[in-house]
Amino acid sequence: MNFIDYLPTLKNENITKNFKYKFTVFTPVYNRESTIHRVFNSLNKQTFKDFELILINDGSTDSSHEVILELLKTASFKVNYINNSENQHKMACYFQAIDLAQGKFLIILDSDDECVENALNIFNETYNSIPKNKREIISGITSLCMDVSGQLIGEKFPEHHYYSNTFRKNIYFPNSGERWGFTKTEILKRIKINPNMFSRGLIPEGLIWEFISSQGYETLYINEILRIYHTDTSNRLSNINHKKNSFGVAVYSISVINWFSGDYIFKKPKYFLKRTYTLLRAANYLNYKKQDYLRAIPNKGLKKIFEIGWHFKHLF
């Protein structure tokens, strides 16, 4: 087993496609018959109309398909609806949507959440306000979220317009809370990911955001509350099942260690110790040899810690 084969890479070719819309909104659906209406309600109310919705029903076993067919009749915007016969998990659907996307910016709106009516307008105006000489290195914009009672989730960013990236934000603001934003579609279309990973449980979305960070792109973080985050569903896509999703967690941990430990191991050693711990915990549920993991860890210190921890991983 070579874990390095599962790390994303960036295709050399540039994407020069003339996009048809400013935004592509992507919504994956799995057993959301009672909540998918929130997405349609939110998008119908948008003050900015230059967008499409790519809606992928990922093998739902409830009445999501029938509900969606009725909601399509109410849509005041373009919808590209795909009804997958089998469940592929969110990451596979995301790359399915990336291939189909005709918007310059791609944004995920989960099937049990909402956004405020001027969300896309604020994203568009904020991007246009970025100095032209800086736009090339900006991968996207990320905003704040609130719960259904209107309370901010997490903390505000240090500045109203705060330039950073996913990795630096995670290590310097680890308790920042739920966030929401868009990514340039041209960057996403260049990402190459091993499709064999899609059948191995849930893959953390952070794998993509961390990879984009590793390629030198920045994100603009803004203190605008644009998404309404619901917590009333028990089987949210963001829920963690350590056994079921252990492969994705292992690849994520190995990726972060490979991409960032060289520059940050002495600045933030606790962060990489945590990632090593997470990797050991995931290894409990995976049938791979110790050497498979050691080959994928570039840092000698973390490699040694993992080797010692291997004998105690059943306790994690």
Side-chain angles (χ1 to χ4, degrees):
M1 171 63 183
N2 189 352
F3 280 101
I4 300 300
D5 290 341
Y6 289 89
L7 272 60
T9 57
L10 202 64
K11 302 173 187 176
N12 291 327
E13 67 266 23
N14 291 322
I15 304 299
T16 57
K17 178 177 179 179
N18 293 320
F19 295 103
K20 187 176 180 180
Y21 305 97
K22 183 59 68 73
F23 291 95
T24 291
V25 180
F26 162 55
T27 296
V29 179
Y30 182 70
N31 291 349
R32 286 290 182 264
E33 60 181 9
S34 63
T35 64
I36 184 58
H37 67 278
R38 296 171 185 164
V39 170
F40 281 82
N41 291 344
S42 293
L43 295 182
N44 275 323
K45 294 177 182 178
Q46 286 303 299
T47 57
F48 187 85
K49 303 296 185 180
D50 187 12
F51 69 92
E52 64 170 343
L53 170 65
I54 294 180
L55 185 65
I56 300 181
N57 183 23
D58 194 28
S60 294
T61 58
D62 65 356
S63 299
S64 291
H65 174 63
E66 289 73 21
V67 171
I68 289 170
L69 291 179
E70 290 302 311
L71 288 170
L72 289 174
K73 300 174 184 178
T74 71
S76 59
F77 46 88
K78 168 67 177 178
V79 184
N80 186 355
Y81 175 51
I82 296 98
N83 186 26
N84 289 341
S85 58
E86 297 181 2
N87 181 253
Q88 302 181 56
H89 295 292
K90 186 175 183 179
M91 187 64 74
C93 292
Y94 187 39
F95 275 85
Q96 189 178 1
I98 290 170
D99 287 339
L100 296 169
Q102 299 185 73
K104 181 178 180 179
F105 307 126
L106 200 155
I107 185 167
I108 301 174
L109 182 60
D110 283 337
S111 54
D112 48 359
D113 289 327
E114 304 172 80
C115 59
V116 300
E117 63 184 20
N118 60 343
L120 297 183
N121 188 58
I122 290 175
F123 277 139
N124 183 59
E125 290 185 349
T126 302
Y127 182 79
N128 289 337
S129 72
I130 299 173
K132 290 185 179 180
N133 63 347
K134 196 174 181 64
R135 288 183 195 173
E136 187 174 343
I137 66 165
I138 298 299
S139 63
I141 297 175
T142 296
S143 67
L144 303 174
C145 298
M146 63 181 170
D147 61 25
V148 291
S149 65
Q151 296 298 309
L152 172 67
I153 298 176
E155 302 174 352
K156 289 186 176 181
F157 301 114
E159 304 170 21
H160 178 58
H161 281 197
Y162 174 63
Y163 290 95
S164 186
N165 62 40
T166 298
F167 177 76
R168 295 202 306 271
K169 179 186 71 69
N170 286 344
I171 62 173
Y172 292 116
F173 301 97
N175 300 315
S176 57
E178 190 72 21
R179 298 293 182 249
W180 186 56
F182 71 78
T183 307
K184 286 180 178 176
T185 307
E186 63 186 55
I187 296 175
L188 294 170
K189 286 181 179 290
R190 290 180 61 202
I191 296 176
K192 184 178 180 180
I193 194 166
N194 191 329
N196 293 326
M197 189 160 54
F198 295 151
S199 61
R200 296 172 179 258
L202 184 68
I203 307 301
E205 289 179 50
L207 179 68
I208 301 304
W209 317 140
E210 299 281 14
F211 174 66
I212 291 173
S213 299
S214 76
Q215 299 301 303
Y217 289 102
E218 297 278 302
T219 297
L220 172 57
Y221 296 90
I222 59 175
N223 285 322
E224 297 275 3
I225 302 175
L226 302 183
R227 177 187 175 200
I228 304 168
Y229 183 76
H230 288 257
T231 58
D232 58 352
T233 48
S234 60
N235 61 335
R236 294 186 59 89
L237 287 169
S238 57
N239 285 351
I240 297 298
N241 181 317
H242 294 305
K243 183 176 181 179
K244 183 179 179 181
N245 304 318
S246 54
F247 185 81
V249 171
V251 171
Y252 176 80
S253 296
I254 289 170
S255 296
V256 172
I257 290 171
N258 272 268
W259 295 331
F260 303 109
S261 63
D263 292 330
Y264 288 91
I265 186 66
F266 296 112
K267 298 176 184 178
K268 290 290 181 179
K270 289 184 179 179
Y271 179 83
F272 293 99
L273 288 173
K274 180 181 178 181
R275 292 269 65 88
T276 304
Y277 165 82
T278 304
L279 180 58
L280 283 163
R281 186 176 62 189
N284 271 315
Y285 306 109
L286 298 170
N287 189 27
Y288 301 119
K289 298 177 181 178
K290 179 176 62 176
Q291 291 301 320
D292 293 332
Y293 300 94
L294 293 176
R295 281 197 301 270
I297 300 174
N299 183 273
K300 292 181 180 179
L302 296 177
K303 193 187 296 279
K304 187 63 177 179
I305 291 170
F306 183 90
E307 193 166 15
I308 295 171
W310 181 266
H311 303 288
F312 306 98
K313 70 180 189 300
H314 63 282
L315 300 175
F316 300 157

